[in-house]
């Protein structure tokens, strides 16, 4: 089992920034692939950014160059810095993992944090 709690969501203007954080316990955030997903009304949940055990990252095309995923091993958090926000970034953001080297079909999810971007 793993407990994941997101924080940092809120409202921003288009072009602005927000930073999300996911506190993970009891597992070490750097031991597995962990990722950020988002869901908007009427759409399927989609992967936004992933960080793998050895530090390599992967991003959804539409957020490349604007979002940065990172982890803080002292705080055991998975973070998502979101810059140059667009209205289409609005949604509920979740951190997730399946405690494996890949992030396919995560089985553990946080409760989510809402991000709203206004134009």
């Amino acid at each position: 089992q793993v407990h994941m709690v997101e924080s940092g969501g809120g409202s921003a203007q288009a072009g602005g920034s927000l930073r999300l954080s996911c506190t993970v316990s009891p597992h070490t955030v750097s031991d597995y692939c962990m990722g950020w997903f988002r869901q908007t009304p009427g759409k399927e949940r989609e992967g936004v950014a992933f960080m793998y055990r050895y530090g390599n990252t992967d991003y959804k095309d539409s957020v490349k160059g604007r979002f940065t995923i990172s982890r803080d091993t002292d705080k055991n958090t998975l973070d998502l810095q979101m810059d140059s926000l667009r209205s289409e970034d609005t949604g509920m953001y979740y951190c997730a993992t399946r405690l494996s080297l890949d992030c396919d079909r995560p089985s553990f999810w946080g409760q989510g944090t809402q991000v709203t971007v206004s134009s």
Side-chain angles (χ1 to χ4, degrees):
Q1 290 292 326
V2 61
H3 191 223
M4 310 180 86
V5 180
E6 301 94 339
S7 61
S11 298
Q13 295 283 334
S17 298
L18 286 171
R19 186 176 182 87
L20 307 183
S21 187
C22 174
T23 301
V24 180
S25 62
H27 298 277
T28 301
V29 67
S30 57
D31 281 351
Y32 306 101
C33 179
M34 296 193 179
W36 285 96
F37 296 74
R38 70 185 178 196
Q39 186 160 26
T40 55
K43 292 186 178 180
E44 292 186 2
R45 189 152 39 187
E46 59 183 2
V48 174
F50 305 96
M51 177 164 268
Y52 298 88
R53 176 175 181 175
Y54 299 107
N56 46 320
T57 59
D58 195 16
Y59 296 91
K60 178 179 173 61
D61 284 347
S62 64
V63 308
K64 285 180 181 177
R66 301 188 299 119
F67 289 11
T68 304
I69 191 170
S70 62
R71 59 194 178 201
D72 185 327
T73 53
D74 289 336
K75 297 179 181 178
N76 212 44
T77 61
L78 181 74
D79 302 315
L80 186 67
Q81 177 67 38
M82 305 186 294
D83 299 318
S84 301
L85 284 164
R86 304 169 180 170
S87 57
E88 55 262 38
D89 295 321
T90 294
M92 185 70 79
Y93 283 70
Y94 302 87
C95 57
T97 183
R98 71 181 186 107
L99 298 179
S100 176
L101 295 181
D102 65 74
C103 281
D104 295 340
R105 297 178 299 278
S107 49
F108 301 102
W109 297 81
Q111 83 287 352
T113 186
Q114 178 67 37
V115 170
T116 303
V117 183
S118 55
S119 55

